[in-house]
Amino acid sequence: MTPRNPKSTTARIYCRVSTQKQGRSGLGLEAQEEIGRAKAKELGLAVVEVVVEVESGRKSRTGRPALRKATADCKIDGSVLIIAKLDRLSRNFNFMIKVTEAAERDGIGIVACDVPDLSNPSTSKFLWRILAAVAELEADQTSERTKVALKAARKRGVTLGNPQSEKSSKIARKRFVHDTIKY
């Protein structure tokens, strides 16, 4: 995606999953790390760190702190940032463009294992932008299908959400009040 410094000898692998449940299971993270390590080996780079983030690729409540730190560290030590798939970097076109432009400006090479490494930087940039737009389209379509399915479930009378949520909220409020008084 972004041109790599030919003198780079190290790499950071960035792995991202969208939900806490996926983060706890670790399965997607393990697969991403394995793909990243294989790519680093292929490129002759030593892996100095594996960075893990549990954050939606569409929305970012926290500004993606692990990605920010990883790119800052790559800038400092000249490492290449390796991601297993382009959509692990982001599913938001504008965010993807900002990240890649900053990486290009700062001389940080970013390699997505699922995107061919093209020798012409202009062609690579063009291809990455198309794929970023496709990732965002895929996320939009997934969201739309989910909304339609939830609406159909509600029509059938299915109760959605945590049936214990009201009970849990009352218990949590009581504990909070108790702890506050105790403190």
Side-chain angles (χ1 to χ4, degrees), residues 14-182:
Y14 176 75
C15 305
R16 182 189 64 77
V17 291
S18 299
T19 67
Q20 293 296 324
K21 184 177 178 183
Q22 293 169 328
R24 283 189 301 274
S25 82
L27 297 175
L29 296 170
E30 288 173 12
Q32 290 176 54
E33 181 179 344
E34 187 177 316
I35 292 166
R37 286 189 183 280
K39 182 55 110 173
K41 185 176 182 180
E42 176 189 318
L43 297 173
L45 302 171
V47 176
V48 294
E49 183 180 18
V50 176
V51 178
V52 173
E53 189 152 53
V54 178
E55 182 72 52
S56 168
R58 295 255 313 149
K59 302 172 190 120
S60 178
R61 297 176 304 280
T62 61
R64 307 278 291 279
L67 177 60
R68 244 183 304 138
K69 183 177 182 328
T71 54
D73 291 345
C74 286
K75 182 179 178 181
I76 291 167
D77 64 15
S79 293
V80 172
L81 187 67
I82 297 178
I83 51 175
K85 291 179 61 186
L86 184 66
D87 69 358
R88 299 299 80 203
L89 186 58
S90 181
R91 287 182 178 259
N92 178 304
F93 181 80
N94 291 328
F95 182 81
M96 177 86 70
I97 297 306
K98 287 176 187 173
V99 169
T100 56
E101 285 177 349
E104 217 172 89
R105 180 190 64 239
D106 294 339
I108 301 166
I110 300 179
V111 174
C113 300
D114 65 336
V115 179
D117 190 16
L118 304 174
S119 57
N120 182 330
S122 296
T123 308
S124 288
K125 189 183 222 179
F126 175 72
L127 179 61
W128 273 69
R129 288 181 177 201
I130 289 174
L131 293 174
V134 169
E136 185 171 5
L137 172 65
E138 180 185 3
D140 288 343
Q141 290 175 336
T142 300
S143 174
E144 191 56 40
R145 284 191 302 269
T146 302
K147 288 175 186 173
V148 169
L150 291 173
K151 186 176 179 181
R154 273 190 222 99
K155 268 187 169 178
R156 289 192 316 272
V158 174
T159 303
L160 302 173
N162 180 357
Q164 299 292 319
S165 66
E166 190 173 322
K167 182 180 175 183
S168 298
S169 294
K170 286 179 183 177
I171 292 169
R173 276 192 297 273
K174 283 181 183 177
R175 285 185 184 153
F176 175 76
V177 169
H178 176 266
D179 290 348
T180 303
I181 292 168
K182 186 179 177 182

Side-chain angles (χ1 to χ4, degrees), residues 4-9:
R4 290 187 298 122
N5 179 344
K7 295 178 185 175
S8 293
T9 59

